[in-house]
Amino acid sequence: MKSDNKPSVCVVGLGYIGLPTAAVIARAGCKVLGLDVSQKVVDTINRGEIHIEEVDLDGLVHGVVSRGLLSASTEVAPADVFVIAVPTPFDKNHAPDISYVLAAGKTIAPVLKHGDVVILESTSPVGTTEQLRDMIAGMRPDLKVPGLTSEIPDISIAYCPERVLPGRILEELTNNDRSIGGITPRCARKALAFYKRFVRGECVTTDARSAEMTKLVENAYRDVNIAFANELSIVSDKMGLDVWEVIRLANRHPRVNILSPGPGVGGHCIAVDPWFIVHGAPEETPLIRTARGVNDGKMHHVVAKAEALVEAHPDAKVACLGLAFKANIDDFRESPARFVASRLARKFGERIHIVEPYAAELPIEFTDTGAVQIDIDDALETCEIMIVLVDHDVFRVVPLAERADKLVYDTRGIWPDQPRVVREEEARLKLVV
Ligand code: SAJ
């Protein structure tokens, strides 16, 4: 790679992180090959279309594909920089599964050449980048790899976690700061030079293991803090307090900033990544483990409370507002709202009406339950009970006049002016859990 030339790039994995990353690198003028195991995904992208929803991604991908800067394939090809962005799930015992990372390494190893840079972006347990390096070293004994040679290595290997927020991926890909952890300082510098081409945020270099842990810590920090808010909401239920009022007041303290309770923690990151730390140090992580339990337990608390409310009003129609895992996105994976709504649909059938503007149809588990999908206007017209599960803007803006006579269970605190009917109901029905 000549320093004045733009490097050619291969992005392995064209999912929620890989595709936007590939598109942003291509926009910076680098020729990018996106690699995916799915022929369908590859065909979609080569048509200039996308298979995931993310703000402004469709226009960007269409643009870079039509300018010839981004193409996709199931077959690897030589490149100057390889960016690995594949999933790292966990198994039923919460043990991290890095097999996709190692499979990506196996795919690219045969085409690596002198001067190449390999960057792992997938959220990974500490030590994964070194495992990737060891695997490449095993497959390519002809290459001098970093950390295993006293000479200048032929290739550079670094870990640089993504930290973008779904719904704001393109903006955050460019503007967020990045931690870049090299197997050696030289590796970190090589990766830094690459990220500088398209990242406006500050790029801070460190070692690979620290960067791996940093990513896990960021999401565990958020999980623990959401757990605190969720625990407060359960305590407030028990004490007959309005948790939103308590948090609002407490947050007026200059050094207090409590997050928002909700129906639980969804998505693929915050509910997963803390387990990678727990798995690495089971004896030393009671707080992180407990936070996971509190956040998972909140879903069941919400189900119990909602069921009691619906049971107490046998003639009322019920609207469940939202299925997404968080506000204003169309991502329903690992969603607590979806879990709660489907439990209610299974139990109460046609009394349950689902409002989800981001879903064209109801997910599979609603089939044969009798539950139907309606829009927010119909829900306000026909349903007496409203269970707020997602804080989509379209729900938030409903004025009090249109919902004042509803029986509302607001798990997200979007309607602070709602009369406290549910709480009075709880007292009457002794529903407080
Ligand atoms: N949630 C609450 N209360 C809150 C904040 C969030 O209940 O106060 C819930 C959300 O409703 C959702 C879940 O938590 O169900 C997670 O949402 P999120 O917005 O906190 O995070 P994600 O999963 O969309 O993205 C996170 C981000 N990490 C951090 O903010 C530390 C993002 O920056 C990471 O890039 C992403 O994980 C990732 O890929 O790891």
Side-chain angles (χ1 to χ4, degrees):
M1 176 170 78
K2 291 193 213 96
S3 61
D4 52 337
N5 276 353
K6 294 194 164 140
S8 62
V9 180
C10 174
V11 176
V12 187
L14 294 173
Y16 276 83
I17 300 301
L19 180 57
T21 303
V24 165
I25 299 169
R27 183 174 61 191
C30 299
K31 194 129 182 166
V32 181
L33 175 73
L35 209 59
D36 203 279
V37 288
S38 160
Q39 187 64 48
K40 202 168 152 208
V41 167
V42 163
D43 293 342
T44 305
I45 292 162
N46 284 335
R47 284 197 305 273
E49 294 166 11
I50 59 176
H51 62 293
I52 53 172
E53 282 296 322
E54 178 57 36
V55 179
D56 296 336
L57 184 62
D58 48 355
L60 176 60
V61 167
H62 187 263
V64 288
V65 169
S66 52
R67 280 161 58 209
L69 287 167
L70 173 65
S71 63
S73 174
T74 56
E75 298 292 325
V76 73
D80 300 319
V81 179
F82 292 84
V83 177
I84 299 174
V86 294
T88 42
F90 58 34
D91 68 15
K92 59 181 185 332
N93 300 318
H94 300 124
D97 169 6
I98 61 163
S99 57
Y100 296 103
V101 172
L102 297 179
K106 206 168 170 183
T107 303
I108 65 172
V111 298
L112 289 175
K113 60 183 185 319
H114 177 86
D116 283 358
V117 181
V118 177
I119 299 164
L120 176 60
E121 285 209 3
S122 311
T123 302
S124 299
V126 174
T128 305
T129 311
E130 288 165 351
Q131 283 193 53
L132 177 68
R133 183 267 321 268
D134 293 346
M135 211 200 69
I136 292 171
M139 287 181 70
R140 291 294 304 273
D142 56 313
L143 288 177
K144 291 193 272 300
V145 299
L148 300 181
T149 175
S150 51
E151 297 169 53
I152 294 178
D154 288 317
I155 59 171
S156 301
I157 303 178
Y159 180 73
C160 179
E162 59 79 18
R163 39 161 69 136
V164 293
L165 203 68
R168 292 167 47 88
I169 291 182
L170 291 181
E171 195 199 315
E172 293 207 355
L173 253 177
T174 319
N175 293 323
N176 286 0
D177 293 352
R178 306 287 299 237
S179 321
I180 301 175
I183 292 276
T184 64
R186 185 176 183 275
C187 293
R189 288 196 298 278
K190 295 283 177 197
L192 173 73
F194 171 64
Y195 280 101
K196 279 287 184 196
R197 293 180 176 276
F198 61 95
V199 172
R200 269 200 291 270
E202 206 174 319
C203 296
V204 184
T205 55
T206 180
D207 61 279
R209 292 172 72 88
S210 298
E212 287 163 344
M213 187 60 169
T214 304
K215 169 69 192 182
L216 304 179
V217 164
E218 289 164 6
N219 282 349
Y221 169 86
R222 196 153 167 85
D223 198 40
V224 168
N225 281 277
I226 298 170
F228 182 71
N230 278 333
E231 185 161 296
L232 284 187
S233 76
I234 295 172
V235 171
S236 300
D237 279 352
K238 180 152 187 164
M239 295 183 174
L241 292 164
D242 179 348
V243 68
W244 306 101
E245 177 73 358
V246 172
I247 291 176
R248 231 184 337 268
L249 292 173
N251 281 350
R252 285 181 166 265
H253 185 290
R255 284 173 297 283
V256 173
N257 187 14
I258 302 170
L259 293 180
S260 304
V265 167
H268 286 289
C269 310
I270 296 196
V272 176
D273 303 353
W275 287 117
F276 291 14
I277 304 180
V278 173
H279 189 261
E283 299 296 321
E284 293 76 14
T285 44
L287 177 66
I288 297 173
R289 186 195 298 262
T290 302
R292 275 284 69 244
V294 169
N295 285 334
D296 281 347
K298 183 69 195 290
M299 279 191 292
H300 299 283
H301 175 85
V302 170
V303 168
K305 221 173 133 175
E307 281 180 349
L309 183 65
V310 175
E311 259 161 16
H313 297 269
D315 299 325
K317 288 190 182 148
V318 182
C320 291
L321 304 192
L323 293 178
F325 90 82
K326 64 178 194 172
N328 305 321
I329 61 169
D330 72 336
D331 192 336
F332 309 106
R333 299 170 303 169
E334 313 299 327
S335 167
R338 179 173 166 178
F339 173 81
V340 173
S342 65
R343 289 283 287 264
L344 296 176
R346 268 209 299 281
K347 184 153 186 172
F348 299 107
E350 61 202 16
R351 289 181 62 203
I352 303 296
H353 300 71
I354 309 292
V355 185
E356 179 44 89
Y358 290 88
E361 55 191 32
L362 291 180
I364 184 94
E365 66 269 27
F366 289 86
T367 313
D368 298 331
T369 60
V372 288
Q373 190 176 13
I374 60 175
D375 67 20
I376 182 68
D377 296 329
D378 287 342
L380 288 163
E381 229 166 81
T382 58
C383 295
E384 293 88 5
I385 294 179
M386 313 217 99
I387 301 173
V388 181
L389 297 171
V390 184
D391 43 345
H392 288 320
D393 287 346
V394 66
F395 304 150
R396 203 181 274 281
V397 296
V398 174
L400 178 61
E402 290 187 51
R403 54 181 160 80
D405 60 340
K406 307 289 183 197
L407 205 50
V408 173
Y409 176 23
D410 181 0
T411 70
R412 295 278 186 177
I414 61 169
W415 293 336
D417 54 357
Q418 188 72 25
R420 296 175 58 174
V421 184
V422 170
R423 208 155 308 285
E424 282 153 26
E425 281 284 307
E426 283 168 354
R428 186 172 69 78
L429 298 164
K430 301 213 183 331
L431 294 184
V432 182
V433 187

